[in-house]
Amino acid sequence: MKTSRFALKGLNVLGLLIVIAIFATPFVWMAVTSVKSLSETITFPPVWIPETIRFENFALAWDSGPFLRYFVNSLIVTLSILVLQLFTIVPAAYAFARYRFFADRVLFALTMITLMIPTQLIFLPVYLQFSSWGLLDTHLALILPFAANAFAIFMLRQTFKQVPEELLEAARLDQASEWKIMYMVMVPMAKPTIITLLLFSFITHWNDYFWPLVMTTTDASRTLPVGISALTNVEGGVAWHIMMAGNMILVVPILIIFFIAQRHIIRAFVYTGVK
Amino acid sequence: MSRWLERFRPYLMVAPAIIVFVLFFIYPIGYMIYLSFHEWDFISPDKQFVGLDNFAGLSEHPEFLKSLENTFVFTFFSVGITTVLALLLALWINRPTRFYGFVQGAVFSPHIISLVSIAMLWMWLMDPQYGLLNWGLEMFGLPQSEWLASPETALYSIILVAIWKSIGFNTLIIIAGLQSIPPHLYEAAALDQSSRFTSFAKITFPMISPTLFFLIIMNLIGSFQVFETIDIMTQGGPLQSTNTLVYYIYEYGFRFFQLGYASSAGVILLIVLSILTVLYFFLMSRRVHYQ
């Protein structure tokens, strides 16, 4: 009886280790490949420990295109989206949570419909729109459609509704303006929700490939994921070590942030997923 | 003056967001529906009204039908397998210790990585000649696979990547659902001396069914939009075997400039997604759980 329980426990740990391996091995393999030589990538069976660690692969990947440009573009686009969202989401969520106005139901329904429309559905007409406005291949084309976020408005409205009314009454007695109440009383109360939403937004847009792929035509406005994807067709055939080195530049910072702030990030995604 | 402002304040507050939604989400849907009834090559100044011709054309277009079929196969297997595995995994690793926390983190990690990196990494793992997967198969004495290079296996290889990427997110959502079950229900079951299976069937499953239901619909909606892995790993090939609905819209819109065709394919996607959304809200309003 005792030995079988012990065996079961061992089996359980072994199973868990296999689960970890299924998710960790690909990343380890990416790291190993990124410091190999070309000849070490085209041997079978594969080599696990390269003869010399070639850090120059990262420089080669970085220099294979205007990666500084891509990086700056990614930064501009993502940060602009975050800032704009702060200014559109907070007032909208506040109005939907605290005011009854003539068209509030219609406008809220419109927000909820938007929540259900994926970018994969609207890219063609939006592309045509941007083309007629002369905005194709600009940062604005990557920023404007995401200047507001229906999902974030919905979430923040729920949080704002839970702020006790007495707190607002007290602020109003102090003659605080509505705008002041919104940003000085409501926003601090909803800080965890707002941080969660911003984190979620940051990761989504930093990683986004589809929208910048469709809306950009030159390196001037391409973002990091689109730039990295171009490593698949480097001249002179496939160079897996350079491709993996390029992807390491994209993946490692996110993984480091993930392992430092794992609890917050998981909460951000699960929380936004469940509600 | 101030009363006037008072009245309009809420409108002023929601205006920026509403303008963005109308301009970039609502209006484009209308424009796409309009285009689906026209023939247009993007360059010529006039769009010709053709009624339902685009839809009739699509229904006879083998490439479109193939992409529709592939999308359904992709959706069926990726959503089905992901949901079942995530449920089993969630029941297994829902423990509060540090080690289990680490396992949860590892399983979740692909979710925050860009699909670009995931697609390129798996292309490398699935390389028929030098890839790690074939090496693994060989080690276990199994036959090697062509993975993305063969029309027989390419779509299933893409499905495998989709499952690997989304299983962690699904697992953690289910774990959140499991943790919200009030413990007193299990205490009552323990008093009744019910077996583990009975308490799963009578308590756990009914209590997390709303979560599961939410996940399945979200996964369905998500998998109908599959694009990134296709674009990077196969470009719809080999022999159309991985062409999907969104990739079809992208190719017909941006490569062949058949905007009417592409728009009517978009309308088909819109219809599928609308049905799923309505189903979601309908069943949500009827409440699927028991408390």
Side-chain angles (χ1 to χ4, degrees), chain A residues 12 22-23 26 29 33 41 44 46 48 102-103 118 122-123 125 128-129 178 207 209-210 247 250 258 262 273, chain B residues 9-11 21 23-24 28 42 92 100-101 105 112 114 116-117 121 124 129-130 135 164 167 214 225 227 231 254:
Chain A
N12 184 45
I22 290 172
F23 289 92
W29 191 239
T33 309
T41 62
F44 197 87
W48 274 96
F102 178 64
I122 42 123
F123 70 96
L128 299 172
Q129 231 171 314
E178 283 294 295
N207 283 340
Y209 170 70
F210 180 67
N247 278 292
L250 197 62
F258 178 59
Q262 190 186 330
Chain B
R9 184 180 281 129
Y11 290 98
F21 295 154
L23 221 52
F24 298 111
F42 190 47
W92 184 16
Y100 280 93
I112 53 157
S114 174
V116 172
S117 299
L121 173 56
W124 171 217
Q129 259 182 301
Y130 310 113
W135 176 71
W164 184 81
I167 197 162
F214 162 84
Q225 303 157 27
F227 174 85
D231 184 50
F254 289 112

Side-chain angles (χ1 to χ4, degrees), chain B residues 193-255:
Chain B
Q193 303 212 309
S194 41
S195 70
R196 282 179 78 172
F197 179 77
T198 318
S199 70
F200 173 79
K202 292 270 158 76
I203 303 171
T204 312
F205 193 73
M207 289 302 288
I208 57 165
S209 61
T211 308
L212 283 182
F213 177 68
F214 162 84
L215 268 180
I216 291 171
I217 297 276
M218 279 331 217
N219 288 338
L220 287 175
I221 291 176
S223 70
F224 271 102
Q225 303 157 27
V226 58
F227 174 85
E228 286 90 341
T229 42
I230 308 279
D231 184 50
I232 291 170
M233 298 174 88
T234 62
Q235 285 94 49
L239 297 173
Q240 304 294 326
S241 63
T242 58
N243 198 357
T244 58
L245 200 45
V246 173
Y247 197 74
Y248 179 92
I249 301 171
Y250 172 76
E251 273 211 309
Y252 271 73
F254 289 112
R255 293 240 171 96

